[in-house]
Amino acid sequence: MSEQALEELSALAAIYCEPGACEVLAASETDGVTFRIQISVKELLDTEILLKLLFHLPVNYPSTLPEISVSSDQLTRAQCMDIKDKLLEQAKKHLSEPMVHELVLWIQQHLKYVIKQPATVCNEKTTLSKGASTEDAIWMLLLHLDHMRAKAKYVRTVEKWASDLKLTGRLMFMGKIILILLQGDKSNIKEYLILQKTSKVDVDSSGKKCKEKMISVLCETKVQSQHKRFQMFEVKEYSTLDELQKEFETAGLANLFSEFVPPLLR
């Protein structure tokens, strides 16, 4: 991580000093830093919008553009994508200089012009989330990991990410099978995938920190009415395939198990 990036992160922590306003999610000398900034912004109808901006600064930042992810409980995924696209456009104007604070200030000033319609008010969103087809519905993600060499550290990292992103579900071990089943807001699921793919969460055969390259997304879909909502994130180990199958069946996910888990045994 460059000295400029460290200085910028220190300055951002001082500027956004309220609890939860600036949080480092992952940091590495060889992989850069991933952090989240939360800000409140007024949009067209003077509604206060809480924006969550996830930045990944690669090691050669600011010579390379940051990766950006945007989420908000009050905006649709399409609106969040519009914000992300505009922020990346602005980032190109600041290439080779620290830019995160400038980008945050820019979106605070221009949000009302970027989103194409007023944000969904809370009571409307609550009604939609109960059954209507909407991008803000609860989503589910099933991942398969090939292995974990540094298991204790890896598990702690996954637990922290799930907690930070308000995701529930299971980290499941059965013999050599390792599965991660997550439920939560679609935007937070996407943030988790970014962290999983960009952070050094394990070690290679020589003991050197490495990114997770042997990961498969088995399924990503909206949670259906027959699916049980997990109330927390838990790490569980199963001694038999029947025990693992029962976990899926109890959650109303028998079809998910039969489609994706048996092929992993071949």
Side-chain angles (χ1 to χ4, degrees):
M1 191 170 12
S2 71
E3 186 175 339
Q4 278 183 305
L6 286 172
E7 291 177 355
E8 183 174 17
L9 186 56
S10 177
L12 290 168
I15 295 168
Y16 304 101
C17 55
E18 295 295 323
C22 182
E23 184 176 7
V24 176
L25 302 176
S28 164
E29 290 184 3
T30 55
D31 194 44
V33 60
T34 302
F35 59 93
R36 182 173 57 229
I37 291 177
Q38 297 191 86
I39 55 171
S40 291
V41 189
K42 283 190 177 181
E43 53 95 47
L44 285 171
L45 300 179
D46 282 339
T47 306
E48 286 283 341
I49 303 299
L50 180 64
L51 278 184
K52 300 175 185 178
L53 307 173
L54 186 76
F55 294 92
H56 172 67
L57 309 185
V59 289
N60 48 357
Y61 169 88
S63 298
T64 300
L65 293 176
E67 295 177 25
I68 303 173
S69 177
V70 179
S71 62
S72 173
D73 291 339
Q74 295 148 289
L75 300 177
T76 66
R77 190 60 190 160
Q79 288 173 318
C80 290
M81 289 300 295
D82 286 341
I83 295 170
K84 172 186 172 180
D85 291 343
K86 291 297 183 183
L87 285 173
L88 288 173
E89 285 180 18
Q90 291 299 312
K92 293 175 183 177
K93 300 177 183 179
H94 298 280
L95 196 59
S96 298
E97 63 184 56
M99 68 182 76
V100 174
H101 189 218
E102 293 296 328
L103 297 178
V104 175
L105 290 177
W106 186 89
I107 197 58
Q108 285 178 310
Q109 296 166 3
H110 295 85
L111 178 66
K112 63 180 66 177
Y113 308 113
V114 174
I115 59 177
K116 296 184 173 72
Q117 61 188 37
T120 305
V121 296
C122 294
N123 60 348
E124 287 178 349
K125 182 176 183 294
T126 302
T127 302
L128 285 169
S129 66
K130 290 181 179 177
S133 177
T134 169
E135 293 189 12
D136 294 323
I138 300 302
W139 279 69
M140 178 170 58
L141 176 72
L142 181 62
L143 301 173
H144 173 242
L145 303 181
D146 184 73
H147 60 269
M148 285 184 183
R149 287 195 173 94
K151 182 177 178 180
K153 178 180 179 295
Y154 205 132
V155 169
R156 286 196 302 270
T157 301
V158 171
E159 288 180 312
K160 182 179 186 305
W161 288 343
S163 175
D164 289 345
L165 295 170
K166 296 180 174 58
L167 300 175
T168 60
R170 299 286 186 268
L171 170 53
M172 300 175 280
F173 296 90
M174 201 290 295
K176 294 184 178 181
I177 295 178
I178 306 172
L179 299 170
I180 300 176
L181 179 62
L182 298 170
Q183 292 179 346
D185 290 346
K186 187 176 182 181
S187 58
N188 289 351
I189 292 283
K190 294 297 185 184
E191 283 192 32
Y192 180 91
L193 277 174
I194 291 173
L195 290 171
Q196 182 78 66
K197 293 176 180 179
T198 61
S199 304
K200 295 195 173 182
V201 292
D202 207 1
V203 296
D204 60 20
S205 57
S206 64
K208 187 177 179 180
K209 291 181 180 180
C210 64
K211 296 180 184 180
E212 180 57 77
K213 296 180 180 178
M214 303 292 287
I215 184 171
S216 302
V217 178
L218 299 180
C219 179
E220 184 178 359
T221 185
K222 189 169 70 172
V223 171
Q224 304 297 322
S225 58
Q226 70 269 26
H227 298 156
K228 173 187 172 184
R229 286 290 310 280
F230 293 108
Q231 299 303 308
M232 62 184 70
F233 184 82
E234 294 183 279
V235 179
K236 302 186 75 171
E237 302 215 16
Y238 309 86
S239 54
T240 67
L241 188 64
D242 286 343
E243 288 181 10
L244 180 61
Q245 183 174 357
K246 187 175 180 181
E247 180 77 64
F248 278 79
E249 290 175 347
T250 301
L253 301 171
N255 290 341
L256 196 70
F257 176 89
S258 60
E259 183 175 354
F260 295 106
V261 178
L264 300 176
L265 299 170
R266 294 170 188 163

